[in-house]
């Protein structure tokens, strides 16, 4: 692999990272709206059933394109940070 090829691949990674960050910001914006809704309606922040559904959807979306335990770990982290944001 040449240095130019590596650089092109790294630029693709940079673009992916930029998109991931944008999506995370969008997701956290929605989380804040959910936080307000839950507070107004006296709904618990933790919803294990919903978390299970989210992880299942993520596993199905990636299929065999990446290890399912990897995508589940990523979503566990996202949801952990989401719960922290809702508790503030």
């Amino acid at each position: 692999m040449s240095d130019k090829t590596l650089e092109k691949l790294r630029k693709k990674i940079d673009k992916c990272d930029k998109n991931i960050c944008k999506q995370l910001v969008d997701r956290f914006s929605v989380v804040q709206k959910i936080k307000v809704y839950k507070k107004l309606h006296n709904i618990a922040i933790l919803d294990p059933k919903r978390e299970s559904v989210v992880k299942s959807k993520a596993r199905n979306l990636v299929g065999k394109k990446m290890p399912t335990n990897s995508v589940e770990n990523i979503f566990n982290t996202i949801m952990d940070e989401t719960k922290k944001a809702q508790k503030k």
Side-chain angles (χ1 to χ4, degrees):
M1 180 180 300
S2 72
D3 288 346
K4 286 184 181 183
T5 302
L6 179 60
E7 189 59 33
K8 283 181 183 180
L9 292 172
R10 285 181 173 164
K11 285 185 183 202
K12 283 186 176 186
I13 290 289
D14 290 344
K15 186 176 180 180
C16 289
D17 290 346
K18 182 178 178 180
N19 289 331
I20 290 168
C21 287
K22 182 189 179 315
Q23 293 300 314
L24 286 171
V25 168
D26 290 347
R27 191 179 200 285
F28 271 74
S29 175
V30 174
V31 164
Q32 292 306 313
K33 292 175 184 175
I34 290 171
K35 172 185 173 179
V36 170
Y37 182 89
K38 285 181 174 182
K39 188 171 185 173
L40 286 172
H41 294 88
N42 205 24
I43 299 171
I45 290 170
L46 298 178
D47 186 348
K49 186 177 176 183
R50 171 67 180 156
E51 289 182 28
S52 180
V53 168
V54 169
K55 288 188 277 188
S56 178
K57 285 181 183 181
R59 285 190 303 270
N60 290 333
L61 285 169
V62 299
K64 296 182 188 272
K65 297 175 188 171
M66 68 182 283
T68 55
N69 64 325
S70 294
V71 75
E72 188 164 337
N73 290 338
I74 291 165
F75 271 84
N76 281 333
T77 300
I78 290 169
M79 288 187 291
D80 287 347
E81 293 305 315
T82 297
K83 288 181 276 191
K84 288 178 191 175
Q86 287 186 59
K87 289 179 182 178
K88 289 182 179 180

